[in-house]
Amino acid sequence: MSYREQPIRVELTATNLRLHLPAGRARPIRVRVEGREAELYPGQTRDFLLEAPDRVHT
């Protein structure tokens, strides 16, 4: 995936979203995950713990 010509590696599990920007001279990007904002800089990796979805009881 890329945003404004900045490649972003995305890893997603049921409980975590990991975003990684490769090193370089690109500008930082601002992201929002489940209402939480963060600024990511080239070369940085950021993990976001995801909220558990509501479970349906049958």
Side-chain angles (χ1 to χ4, degrees), residues 33-57:
V33 177
E34 293 185 335
R36 294 169 283 165
E37 290 189 19
E39 195 164 58
L40 278 81
Y41 291 83
Q44 185 177 16
T45 298
R46 178 75 186 253
D47 286 300
F48 297 90
L49 294 178
L50 301 175
E51 295 179 15
D54 293 336
R55 297 180 188 247
V56 176
H57 297 284

